[in-house]
Amino acid sequence: MELTDLLEALNAGRTITGDSPLHEVMHRVSQDALRITGELNGGYHEPARVRELLAQLTGKPVDESVTVFPPFYSDFGKNITFGKRNFLNSGCKFQDQGGVVIGDDCLIGHNTVLATLNHDLAPSRRADMHPAPVVIGRNVWIGSNVTVLPGVTIGADAVVAAGSVVTKDVPEKSVVGGSPARVVRLLSD
């Protein structure tokens, strides 16, 4: 089993059983992510070097318009897609095995957590993992200390209020807040 096999299974939403060869691959790839984020977070780096390390982490190019203020954490890395003109403030944590896609022109606040895996509820299968992507549309603003749970899509031009826990999809051009997050108003230009 290789990374491509694992990504195919994750992106298809297939359960990764705790005792499987795919689970072993996931842990092996995680060691690489821990090494890269350790370097990223271990001291000051010029913005271009931050992007180089993010490209190593994700395994794909990161546009020169992307700005990330470390520390930044990912326990996998290979299933993150950054858009153009993204700004991520310090302390963001991405559990990206299930896939994290960030559209263009997004602002992501301090300490945001994007989670893409759930463990099985059955005690005998607790090590099994169920992936589901987090998709962030174009021009989204996520406030500080937000948690976005697996399978959530945040629509274009939406705002997620600081401290929210997002458990379901967010409509385009809406402001959501709370735990669980609910629509509190709609936006227009």
Side-chain angles (χ1 to χ4, degrees):
M1 292 283 156
E2 297 298 325
L3 175 60
T4 54
D5 301 310
L6 176 59
L7 286 170
E8 181 180 309
L10 290 167
N11 292 333
R14 293 200 325 251
T15 296
I16 307 299
T17 57
D19 57 355
S20 69
L22 290 176
H23 190 258
E24 291 177 24
V25 172
M26 187 183 302
H27 276 274
R28 189 173 68 237
V29 173
S30 292
Q31 292 306 304
D32 194 41
L34 294 171
R35 179 186 56 75
I36 294 166
T37 56
E39 181 178 347
L40 175 66
N41 299 329
Y44 174 76
H45 301 286
E46 295 286 335
R49 179 65 181 146
V50 170
R51 285 188 296 277
E52 287 174 11
L53 289 166
L54 291 172
Q56 287 179 29
L57 178 69
T58 62
K60 50 192 131 179
V62 174
D63 192 81
E64 67 181 18
S65 64
V66 171
T67 301
V68 174
F69 284 1
F72 173 80
Y73 303 95
S74 169
D75 59 0
F76 187 68
K78 300 303 185 212
N79 216 357
I80 300 171
T81 302
F82 291 103
K84 295 180 180 175
R85 297 170 302 281
N86 293 158
F87 174 74
L88 282 68
N89 222 322
S90 61
C92 290
K93 298 171 181 74
F94 288 10
Q95 178 200 47
D96 65 287
Q97 288 89 340
V100 169
V101 177
I102 304 171
D104 294 342
D105 303 303
C106 289
L107 306 172
I108 300 180
H110 290 91
N111 303 315
T112 292
V113 174
L114 304 181
T116 66
L117 287 177
N118 276 317
H119 287 276
D120 204 281
L121 291 177
S124 65
R125 304 300 309 167
R126 192 63 43 86
D128 293 357
M129 290 170 280
H130 306 286
V134 169
V135 179
I136 300 171
R138 183 191 53 75
N139 199 35
V140 168
W141 173 22
I142 298 177
S144 297
N145 297 303
V146 167
T147 299
V148 181
L149 297 183
V152 168
T153 295
I154 300 175
D157 300 314
V159 176
V160 180
S164 297
V165 177
V166 185
T167 62
K168 60 183 181 178
D169 290 353
V170 174
E172 291 184 1
K173 293 187 178 180
S174 66
V175 177
V176 299
S179 178
R182 291 180 169 81
V183 174
V184 294
R185 67 182 273 206
L186 298 178
L187 299 171
S188 62
D189 279 330

